[in-house]
Amino acid sequence: MTPWVRASLRDLGTVGTDLLVVGGGITGAGIARDAALRGIAVTLVEARDFGSGTSSRSSRLIHGGLRYLEQGRLRLVLESLRERAVLLRLAPHLVRPLSFVLPFFRGERVPGWKARLGLTLYDLLAGRGNVRRHQTLGKRGLLEIEPLLRDRGLTGGALYHDAQCDDARLTLATARGAAAAGARLASYTRVLALRFQGPRVAGARLRDELTGEETDLTARLVVNATGPWCDTLRRLEDSTAAPLLRPTKGCHLVVPRARIGNRHAVIFTSPLDGRVLFILPWGEWTYVGTTDTDADPDPDAVVVEPADVVYLLRSANALFPTAHLAEADVVATWAGLRPLLAADPGVPASGRSREHRIVTGPGGMLTIAGGKLTTFRVMAREVVDRVARLLGRSASAGRALSGQVPLPGGEARVLDGFRAAGLELGLPATSVDYLVGQYGAEIPAIYALCRQRPELKEPLHPEHPAIAAQVSFAVQRELACTAEDILARRTRLALETSDHGEAARGSVERLLEAERRLS
Ligand code: FAD
């Protein structure tokens, strides 16, 4: 039987679990995977779809973070660069190298010499796992590789290399990796309350958000991995708990790549406020981000405001002056809350990482707060080390597996062989390239669906390479429950088409219904 089945409330209620992880973003999925790989009985519950929180609203970079170098956070950069190398290996179909242009302009806060020094250090810290060494270029050289950049004040620049991933699919792959290692997964399953045995947290009251049914789940330990929601869950344990987080809002917008004409990813400082921004290529699209503003701490209320769009468009236009981007060019937007740690005198400056923190509540619930997409495995390892000790197990047994076992689809490094089979099936080359990039070594399962039911080769949307077989696959193996799960996260139709995927909605709903009847 496939392990990728949503656990029903009945299953969850009748059997207890050693570890209950609450929150199916990258952090919770990473913890469930690490724990399952170490042989711990673990259940992961998510109130909505996996990755539907912050983990599908990031800048999608798997990176060391040049900007942290400037802040002197060498340890964090080193750790992130190591993780970049590991993730490029564990999921080569999802995490891919990305070349960045860093232009130098006269009078900027960070002068060219300092940026060059920083990039040399970045390469050194990446060590043998480096993607490629950076290269510095004069003005003419830089304009040759990125011709539409503003040339006023430009003195030269650099080409360096990081990585990019589909954050929602990376989260999903991590959750599926957990299931493959024995974890039980339940999306659309919300923790309503914690259960106590005396003063100890001993499980949770769960509600199936699709049916409204409720049940109790007994757990020896509970981990709160709810990202920006983590203080809400902590208050179910301790109503007086002081907030751990002080989140900020980050927005991105998507425009057709041809409208900007960027050939690479570009990192630059906004002339409006000196903040570091990215212009990032994504197939035929470019996304621009991100804002960083104080936000209402309610993660359910985060939206892109007109002022966010104006700021990003004006910043991008200042860098690419021939683009003249206007609001009408914006195809889609997304906003998320950075789960940033509130300043706390209790956190030592020399702490292992100031980016995330694990706290134990009065009832024994562990909360992990802060962190990055890039470092999710490190965060998971630290949490599961503690969990293992609390459950009376060795913290070292199985500890290395999370860096060795590929994520689903990541079993093959070279994917070219899969292309020929797709073309033989009669799929268009653009769809084949796209599908191989989405599914990696799992692509034969998509081809098998196309062979069994040739109508599944049909495109889902006239503007997009996605095909109908992806809907069947999403229901059978990727725990998709709603049309939104498929339009927004299994495919990115909602962000990568001019009508937010609406032209595909009817067929997605019909295929979803047909799959449900079959299962
Ligand atoms: P989330 O993904 O938010 O997951 C928490 C989950 O908990 C949610 O899905 C929610 O539905 C669920 N939940 C909440 N309450 C309950 C409940 N009661 N019961 C069950 N489930 C519940 N990092 C990088 O490394 N690279 C980047 O380029 C990058 N860019 C970023 C850009 C922006 C704008 C932002 C906001 C963040 C960025 N980050 C980046 C950081 C990264 O995205 C986050 O650190 C990470 O996604 C947080 O994951 P999480 O699992 O902790 O939280």
Side-chain angles (χ1 to χ4, degrees):
M1 194 183 95
T2 159
W4 297 304
V5 174
R6 175 176 178 253
S8 70
L9 267 203
R10 209 176 36 213
D11 300 340
L12 294 177
T14 48
V15 201
T17 190
D18 279 345
L19 175 63
L20 168 64
V21 180
V22 189
I26 193 69
T27 309
I31 294 167
R33 175 173 173 270
D34 191 316
L37 285 168
R38 296 198 213 186
I40 294 171
V42 53
T43 302
L44 172 65
V45 297
E46 160 56 47
R48 289 175 282 204
D49 183 24
F50 293 109
S52 57
T54 323
S55 300
S56 54
R57 293 148 196 263
S58 79
S59 302
R60 306 179 182 173
L61 297 176
I62 298 297
H63 63 158
L66 262 189
R67 138 182 63 158
Y68 301 122
L69 263 192
E70 207 196 336
Q71 297 164 358
R73 298 187 185 169
L74 286 192
R75 191 159 197 150
L76 176 67
V77 177
L78 180 68
E79 192 168 70
S80 303
L81 288 170
R82 276 194 198 138
E83 282 307 298
R84 184 183 74 183
V86 174
L87 293 174
L88 280 162
R89 191 161 39 75
L90 297 185
H93 59 308
L94 293 177
V95 182
R96 292 175 226 149
L98 179 69
S99 301
F100 275 79
V101 157
L102 167 59
F104 305 153
F105 290 103
R106 205 170 296 119
E108 270 198 328
R109 186 174 53 81
V110 180
W113 66 265
K114 201 169 168 190
R116 279 193 291 274
L117 201 67
L119 285 169
T120 305
L121 186 57
Y122 205 61
D123 284 336
L124 281 173
L125 290 173
R128 291 201 312 173
N130 202 2
V131 178
R132 242 167 91 185
R133 279 183 67 79
H134 82 279
Q135 205 186 332
T136 47
L137 296 159
K139 177 173 172 172
R140 190 184 302 164
L142 196 74
L143 287 173
E144 260 167 34
I145 63 165
E146 203 55 66
L148 299 180
L149 272 180
R150 182 180 92 216
D151 85 343
R152 187 167 42 86
L154 186 71
T155 57
L159 184 68
Y160 77 98
H161 309 275
D162 245 317
Q164 184 183 38
C165 76
D166 182 326
D167 49 6
R169 289 201 67 86
L170 182 70
T171 304
L172 180 67
T174 306
R176 293 176 72 231
R184 288 187 301 169
L185 306 187
S187 56
Y188 291 96
T189 302
R190 180 180 295 276
V191 167
L192 294 177
L194 296 172
R195 294 186 66 224
F196 289 83
Q197 217 165 53
R200 304 281 308 164
V201 172
R205 179 87 185 152
L206 306 178
R207 180 174 68 206
D208 183 325
E209 297 288 77
L210 300 176
T211 64
E213 286 167 70
E214 293 184 15
T215 197
D216 286 328
L217 170 66
T218 312
R220 290 175 65 198
L221 260 180
V222 176
V223 169
N224 170 9
T226 53
W229 288 265
C230 80
D231 286 324
T232 309
L233 202 72
R234 285 173 65 238
R235 286 191 200 109
L236 297 179
E237 181 189 25
D238 171 10
S239 58
T240 63
L244 272 179
L245 297 183
R246 197 173 62 82
T248 65
K249 182 175 82 166
C251 300
H252 291 84
L253 46 88
V254 183
V255 297
R257 187 159 166 190
R259 285 289 296 108
I260 297 191
N262 60 306
R263 293 186 182 170
H264 302 84
V266 185
I267 179 170
F268 68 111
T269 47
S270 167
L272 304 181
D273 61 359
R275 284 198 54 252
V276 174
L277 296 184
F278 298 113
I279 289 195
L280 296 159
W282 189 261
E284 291 178 18
W285 307 101
T286 285
Y287 56 101
V288 183
T290 161
T291 59
D292 193 0
T293 45
D294 274 331
D296 180 335
D298 176 6
D300 292 308
V302 57
V303 288
V304 179
E305 306 281 351
D308 299 320
V309 175
V310 170
Y311 167 79
L312 292 171
L313 289 178
R314 283 182 59 198
S315 300
N317 280 335
L319 189 71
F320 286 91
T322 53
H324 301 296
L325 292 172
E327 269 176 52
D329 294 307
V330 178
V331 174
T333 60
W334 69 84
L337 278 194
R338 289 184 187 80
L340 298 182
L341 293 175
D344 182 347
V347 182
S350 59
R352 174 146 167 55
S353 167
R354 294 168 67 195
E355 294 303 308
H356 66 268
R357 191 176 162 201
I358 304 166
V359 296
T360 308
M365 179 169 77
L366 297 179
T367 293
I368 169 110
K372 289 168 69 180
L373 195 69
T374 308
T375 49
F376 81 87
R377 247 180 25 89
V378 177
M379 294 158 66
R381 195 167 58 213
E382 286 178 25
V383 170
V384 180
D385 283 352
R386 284 206 199 189
V387 166
R389 279 194 291 269
L390 289 164
L391 293 176
R393 291 161 168 255
S394 143
S396 57
R399 193 173 189 262
L401 288 174
S402 92
Q404 292 165 357
V405 177
L407 293 179
E411 297 82 358
R413 287 191 65 73
V414 182
L415 299 171
D416 289 345
F418 293 117
R419 290 199 167 81
L423 295 173
E424 266 169 39
L425 266 174
L427 291 169
T430 47
S431 288
V432 171
D433 287 342
Y434 159 81
L435 292 169
V436 170
Q438 300 281 297
Y439 301 97
E442 286 194 297
I443 191 74
I446 295 275
Y447 294 160
L449 284 167
C450 293
R451 259 182 234 108
Q452 285 154 19
R453 292 155 59 195
E455 71 278 13
L456 294 182
K457 288 192 268 181
E458 289 301 312
L460 283 171
H461 193 287
E463 295 170 16
H464 201 276
I467 61 167
Q470 291 177 257
V471 181
S472 304
F473 188 84
V475 178
Q476 291 175 12
R477 300 202 189 196
E478 294 186 332
L479 298 116
C481 297
T482 69
E484 213 47 47
D485 298 348
I486 292 166
L487 293 171
R489 287 169 295 278
R490 303 306 181 278
T491 68
R492 290 299 188 119
L493 282 160
L495 294 176
E496 296 173 2
T497 55
S498 56
D499 65 351
H500 305 293
E502 280 310 307
R505 188 176 287 277
S507 7
V508 168
E509 281 171 353
R510 272 192 302 281
L511 287 159
L512 192 67
E513 206 35 59
E515 282 302 328
R516 279 209 199 102
R517 277 200 301 273
L518 285 174
S519 63

